[in-house]
Amino acid sequence: MRRLLITAGALALCACIADVQAADVSARKPKALLIMLDGARADAVAAARMPAVQSLRNGSWAPGYSGAWSLFGQNVPDARPSSAANHTAIFTAVNAAKSRVFNNGQTKDGDYAHWPTWLARVTAAVPGAKGLFIFSWGEGKQYPSSPNVQFIHDSDANNAKNLPNILAAPDAPDAIQYFIDLPDHGGHSEGFYPFSKGYLHALYTSDTYIAGALAAIKGRPTFKDEDWLVMVTADHGGYARSHGMWGGQASTIPVILSGRNIPSGRLQGAPRHYDLTATALAHFGLDPVALKLDGRPLTTTVQDRPRPLKDGLAAHLVAVGKKPLGIRKVDGSENLTFENGGDFAVALWARLPAKQKGDPVLFSNKDWKSGANPGIALVASKATDAVKVPGICFNAGRPEKGRIDMGTYDVEPGQWVFYAVVRNAEGVLTVYQGRADGRFNWFCAPAPDILVKSGLPFYIGQDGTGAYPHPLSGDMDDFALWTRALSHDDVQRIYEAGRQGLPLGELL
């Protein structure tokens, strides 16, 4: 594990940030730019043309830099995925319970006396340091002012023109938070989907803004003597044209950072957006733990180890001739042993009708009378008042009659659609959907304590009892169950092969 370098030599903060110490972290002068893309879903960022963000992810934007990334990042855990709650969480590196900002309209009421912005902390701790908050959403004006931190409120387009000039200046700010509102407008207008053209175009345009900022930084005459930490994240994602719901798609966001001392690779687990803020504070020599922040510096990356797809394969059921799989018990599945006490992966193709009776399951090993029962279930949900189209949701039981519910994906009636669910050793649960036209998306949530085993066998088209009163009406094929996690690349490879007509058996 490589850790960010934090050296000795503390300096006292002002009274509102007392007992915190700062230190010189390297021979180069530390600088940080935190970019917040409003409404950017992780899978949409992966699907969009965003070469500047990609160069940060792989560390290629400047010589001597490396990149770390997660497309399974999460926003604040104790508030709905609204803008204000997550803007404040990123700005302060604390949960809503501490900041007291739970929804839009509450920014002005935040507890900034106890939880100042990271820009205020840096400029108070580092002699001569200057901060900049440049943004376009009006509620940003409600954060309190602080010495040596400049606020610039203007349109996205004007900010994109002005920021490169600010960054190129000899007296450029040391700590910058840059907010871009454009993706959120695209999502509300055309839908928060990784295939909505207007949404993808908004992400591409945002990337051009980021490219301008990076070019200005690299063009600085003093760049070689500076240690820049450049970070990209989002406040929330979205589903349909909204982002106010729980359930994964509005909560799964990108977390990307690049620096001279950043370990390269995929970030471990499901980091939260305010972990970038904590990383920035550590970059300037501040200790997020001593500050009692919720964010933690991102110092650990993972190199996924390729494994043959047949490893851990417990069942593979396919259609015979032209007859799709019907309701079927997976023999012996009640006695399976899962890696790390609960790692698993399931993949299948399904063709569902427009209407379902009740809430039947595609696969399950639980008694579906209650979602709090042990076991897991992928559910074909009916349309509701909140969600006008039928969708797919995932459910898992947790200890003490707890549960997790993640959804929803739109069902395309009569079309073959790919689904996969993976829980890995890092406790991250990911639900995937892949459509026949190449649209591939996912959402995830931390789920370290789900009860995968129930004592019941797995069924396809039924719950673990085999007697749920609303059996699945639809077809399935190429169902596979693993007692280990698959990597993101594994899932995408299985999907792409199936989309081209290559069954899983050929990959095995």
Side-chain angles (χ1 to χ4, degrees):
M1 179 189 303
R2 296 172 58 191
R3 295 188 178 276
L4 295 176
L5 178 63
I6 303 176
T7 62
L11 298 165
L13 289 177
C14 64
C16 66
I17 318 172
D19 300 323
V20 181
Q21 296 181 329
D24 182 18
V25 296
S26 72
R28 293 185 173 95
K29 185 177 183 180
K31 298 268 192 177
L33 170 63
L34 175 52
I35 302 165
M36 185 171 65
L37 299 172
D38 199 299
R41 270 178 56 155
D43 52 5
V45 169
R49 183 170 178 265
M50 302 186 74
V53 169
Q54 180 64 27
S55 72
L56 291 169
R57 173 177 165 174
N58 59 31
S60 65
W61 75 280
Y65 280 75
S66 55
W69 56 273
S70 175
L71 294 178
F72 309 105
Q74 297 289 291
N75 57 15
V76 69
D78 58 347
R80 288 189 180 275
S82 66
S83 294
N86 286 282
H87 292 194
T88 303
I90 295 169
F91 221 169
T92 61
V94 297
N95 290 332
K98 290 178 180 176
S99 75
R100 310 310 300 166
V101 178
F102 293 92
N103 213 330
N104 293 352
Q106 297 179 350
T107 300
K108 63 183 183 300
D109 302 319
D111 185 3
Y112 307 111
H114 291 97
W115 310 107
T117 70
W118 74 279
L119 299 181
R121 292 187 185 278
V122 169
T123 54
V126 180
K130 296 191 301 182
L132 171 65
F133 178 36
I134 182 166
F135 60 99
S136 55
W137 191 46
E139 200 160 323
K141 294 185 292 184
Q142 297 174 5
Y143 292 107
S145 60
S146 55
N148 300 318
V149 178
Q150 181 185 11
F151 280 36
I152 297 178
H153 175 224
D154 209 333
S155 67
D156 279 345
N158 285 340
N159 287 338
K161 294 176 183 178
N162 294 331
L163 181 58
N165 295 328
I166 294 171
L167 293 171
D171 61 345
D174 303 281
I176 306 108
Q177 181 154 312
Y178 177 28
F179 166 78
I180 302 174
D181 203 22
L182 195 59
D184 192 58
H185 286 286
H188 284 300
S189 176
E190 295 194 15
F192 291 89
Y193 293 111
F195 48 81
S196 296
K197 290 184 178 179
Y199 186 42
L200 294 177
H201 181 71
L203 288 166
Y204 169 73
T205 302
S206 300
D207 188 78
T208 65
Y209 297 166
I210 295 170
L214 296 180
I217 291 172
K218 286 191 295 183
R220 292 175 54 79
T222 54
F223 178 66
K224 67 180 185 302
D225 300 319
E226 296 167 344
D227 184 4
W228 280 88
L229 177 65
V230 183
M231 302 158 284
V232 178
T233 191
D235 53 348
H236 57 76
Y239 173 71
R241 297 185 182 185
S242 179
H243 56 77
M245 75 296 290
W246 303 100
Q249 297 200 65
S251 303
T252 303
I253 56 175
V255 174
I256 299 168
L257 69 162
S258 180
R260 293 183 182 274
N261 300 299
I262 296 298
S264 61
R266 178 177 66 81
L267 290 164
Q268 187 177 47
R272 297 199 182 274
H273 48 27
Y274 54 42
D275 291 332
L276 290 175
T277 313
T279 307
L281 290 169
H283 184 64
F284 286 99
L286 302 177
D287 183 356
V289 176
L291 291 167
K292 299 181 180 179
L293 304 180
D294 295 308
R296 291 291 180 266
L298 295 169
T299 61
T300 305
T301 55
V302 177
Q303 304 295 334
D304 291 318
R305 179 172 60 91
R307 295 174 63 176
L309 282 178
K310 64 182 180 180
D311 283 6
L313 182 67
H316 181 212
L317 305 176
V318 298
V320 178
K322 295 183 179 181
K323 184 179 180 181
L325 286 169
I327 294 172
R328 186 183 300 188
K329 175 184 174 182
V330 180
D331 293 333
S333 54
E334 64 269 38
N335 297 316
L336 295 175
T337 300
F338 296 93
E339 289 187 8
N340 302 305
D343 292 4
F344 74 91
V346 173
L348 61 97
W349 286 83
R351 182 171 57 187
L352 303 177
K355 295 182 179 181
Q356 297 277 348
K357 291 184 178 180
D359 50 354
V361 295
L362 279 78
F363 70 84
S364 178
N365 69 332
K366 74 187 304 170
D367 183 344
W368 190 224
K369 289 179 181 179
S370 171
N373 287 333
I376 60 178
L378 187 66
V379 185
S381 300
K382 60 186 178 182
T384 65
D385 290 339
V387 180
K388 302 299 183 182
V389 293
I392 295 291
C393 296
F394 179 79
N395 164 273
R398 290 180 128 155
E400 299 180 359
K401 290 295 181 179
R403 61 187 288 171
I404 183 172
D405 295 283
M406 298 172 60
T408 178
Y409 281 131
D410 297 349
V411 169
E412 294 189 352
Q415 303 295 314
W416 283 102
V417 179
F418 173 82
Y419 297 100
V421 184
V422 178
R423 190 269 193 183
N424 67 18
E426 299 159 38
V428 180
L429 186 67
T430 308
V431 183
Y432 295 87
Q433 183 190 61
R435 307 188 187 200
D437 61 2
R439 303 172 183 180
F440 183 65
N441 49 319
W442 65 88
F443 55 88
C444 66
D449 60 348
I450 61 170
L451 303 174
V452 176
K453 295 197 70 172
S454 65
L456 298 174
F458 277 90
Y459 273 83
I460 59 172
Q462 254 291 355
D463 75 347
T465 70
Y468 189 65
H470 301 294
L472 183 71
S473 175
D475 303 318
M476 281 185 284
D477 196 6
D478 236 355
F479 172 90
L481 168 66
W482 288 262
T483 56
R484 67 170 180 95
L486 297 180
S487 71
H488 179 80
D489 290 343
D490 285 337
V491 174
Q492 191 160 10
R493 183 159 62 100
I494 294 169
Y495 157 65
E496 290 291 351
R499 191 168 73 89
Q500 301 298 327
L502 185 68
L504 175 60
E506 295 295 325
L507 296 181
L508 296 172

